[in-house]
């Protein structure tokens, strides 16, 4: 009989934590960025996309998995795009395997590197938990300084799909969104979202659970305390910044991200915030 496991390992040469539950659910999390690079539900297939050309180096973002975006989403502010959390090494605080759950916790605190571009004292924590068909990733932020601070954040989840042109994403009908491709704001009038071109949207105040349907499986997606949803696929974008993704990589992925963007989180000294994304494999 399989047993639960939480152990230190390496992944493409980087320190990582490997989690497994008795039913066979697995996840691997890098210390670099507290970055989930693999998740397989019990008895199932890999559900996260990881580029075959991803770069595994200190100070570099990994293309795929679940990058942690903090304290700035994209270029919506004065900091480097997507902030710094995904490019720094986090401390492994704890991990444990129980009867039907395995969990690992990671921490990042302010340093000379972070304060050089964002002058705030903080404690960030990522908790990754797996149980059977479910993955929970929670980001918690505490303001440990003496002045108020504000930030935006996202769990930049790359979902693995068999063929992106055959997927349907349900749950966004009637939602207001900003289209980054066209530079306009619209209301989603479709029953479901399908992908046949570049898509880069921020859906605001979208609190409904989402359902990603494929030909023979589905995935439930839900964010808590992260009211915005980012949906992204670069399509055949040949921008040099995508050199770490193969030409056909866009066909195997769709980013559906729990985020807080439209209304930044504002924390007074010693105050805290948390947000979570849950994925549930349905077949």
């Amino acid at each position: 009989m399989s047993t639960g496991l939480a152990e230190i390992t390496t992944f493409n040469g980087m320190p990582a934590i490997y989690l497994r539950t008795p039913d066979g659910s697995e996840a691997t999390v890098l210390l670099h960025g507290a970055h989930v690079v693999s998740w397989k539900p019990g008895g199932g297939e890999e559900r996260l996309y990881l580029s075959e050309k991803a770069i595994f180096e200190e100070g570099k973002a990994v293309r795929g998995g679940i990058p942690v975006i903090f304290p700035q989403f994209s270029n919506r502010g004065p900091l480097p795009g997507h902030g710094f959390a995904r490019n720094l090494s986090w401390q492994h605080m704890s991990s444990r395997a129980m009867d039907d759950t395995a969990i690992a916790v990671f921490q990042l605190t302010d340093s000379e590197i972070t304060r050089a571009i964002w002058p705030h004292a903080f404690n960030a924590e990522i908790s990754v938990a797996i149980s059977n068909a479910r993955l929970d990733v929670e980001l918690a932020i505490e303001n440990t300084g003496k002045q108020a601070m504000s930030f935006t954040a996202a769990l930049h989840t790359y979902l693995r799909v068999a063929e992106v042109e055959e997927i349907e994403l349900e749950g966004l009908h009637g939602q207001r969104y900003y289209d980054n491709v066209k530079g306009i704001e619209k209301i989603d009038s479709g029953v479901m979202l399908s992908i046949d071109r570049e898509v880069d949207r921020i859906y605001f105040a979208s609190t409904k659970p989402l359902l990603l349907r494929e030909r023979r499986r589905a995935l439930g997606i839900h964010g808590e305390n992260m009211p915005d949803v980012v949906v992204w696929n670069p399509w055949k974008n040949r921008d040099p910044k995508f050199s770490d993704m193969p030409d056909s990589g866009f066909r195997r992925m769709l980013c559906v991200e729990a985020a807080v963007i439209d209304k930044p989180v504002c924390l007074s000294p010693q105050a805290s915030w948390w947000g979570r994304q849950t994925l549930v494999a349905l077949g």
Side-chain angles (χ1 to χ4, degrees):
M1 180 178 178
S2 176
T3 58
L5 186 67
E7 66 176 6
I8 299 173
T9 184
T10 59
F11 186 91
N12 283 331
M14 287 189 144
I17 300 298
Y18 171 74
L19 301 174
R20 187 184 70 210
T21 59
D23 59 26
S25 179
E26 302 174 275
T28 301
V29 190
L30 300 180
L31 271 64
H32 176 70
H35 191 134
V36 183
V37 288
S38 175
W39 170 52
K40 298 177 183 177
E45 306 167 305
E46 178 64 60
R47 302 307 291 260
L48 298 180
Y49 171 81
L50 184 65
S51 171
E52 299 95 319
K53 299 176 70 175
I55 299 170
F56 294 88
E57 294 180 7
E58 294 296 331
K60 300 285 187 179
V62 176
R63 178 71 67 186
I66 308 180
V68 178
I69 307 305
F70 170 83
Q72 176 183 292
F73 180 81
S74 189
N75 59 358
R76 298 167 72 94
L79 305 185
H82 282 338
F84 49 69
R86 62 179 181 160
N87 298 328
L88 297 176
S89 181
W90 292 52
Q91 183 179 1
H92 172 222
M93 302 301 292
S94 65
S95 54
R96 63 190 186 276
M98 295 160 281
D99 290 343
D100 60 358
T101 304
I103 185 170
V105 181
F106 306 84
Q107 184 182 78
L108 179 71
T109 58
D110 58 284
S111 64
E112 290 185 6
I113 294 174
T114 68
R115 291 191 296 270
I117 58 175
W118 196 60
H120 297 286
F122 68 89
N123 177 60
E125 187 175 276
I126 281 285
S127 300
V128 179
I130 56 172
S131 57
N132 191 14
R134 177 171 173 151
L135 169 69
D136 288 284
V137 181
E138 181 176 305
L139 172 64
I141 306 295
E142 180 184 6
N143 180 355
T144 59
K146 297 181 179 179
Q147 60 180 355
M149 69 183 198
S150 65
F151 61 87
T152 52
L155 297 170
H156 196 322
T157 305
Y158 287 74
L159 301 173
R160 174 172 288 278
V161 300
E163 172 52 65
V164 74
E165 287 189 89
E166 297 179 0
I167 66 93
E168 295 176 345
L169 183 62
E170 300 178 9
L172 296 169
H173 175 75
Q175 297 294 319
R176 177 176 66 94
Y177 71 89
Y178 182 77
D179 188 328
N180 281 299
V181 176
K182 298 179 179 180
I184 57 176
E185 191 170 294
K186 299 182 67 176
I187 299 295
D188 194 315
S189 59
V191 176
M192 60 194 66
L193 176 65
S194 57
I195 308 296
D196 60 4
R197 66 196 69 187
E198 181 182 2
V199 173
D200 187 358
R201 300 179 179 181
I202 304 173
Y203 286 84
F204 303 116
S206 178
T207 57
K208 299 177 182 177
L210 307 179
L211 183 65
L212 178 66
R213 292 186 182 273
E214 295 188 69
R215 181 177 300 176
R216 58 183 181 84
R217 65 182 190 179
L219 187 75
I221 307 166
H222 183 56
E224 293 180 72
N225 214 31
M226 301 183 88
D228 304 323
V229 173
V230 179
V231 180
W232 176 69
N233 182 285
W235 203 243
K236 300 175 183 180
N237 196 322
R238 296 278 69 87
D239 191 303
K241 69 182 179 181
F242 297 118
S243 62
D244 57 354
M245 180 185 287
D247 289 348
S248 61
F250 73 94
R251 294 195 173 277
R252 305 291 170 252
M253 56 75 65
L254 179 69
C255 282
V256 182
E257 314 167 29
V260 53
I261 300 170
D262 191 33
K263 297 179 180 179
V265 176
C266 298
L267 292 181
S268 57
Q270 311 311 309
S272 61
W273 167 93
W274 64 272
R276 179 188 301 125
Q277 185 178 53
T278 298
L279 306 179
V280 180
L282 306 169

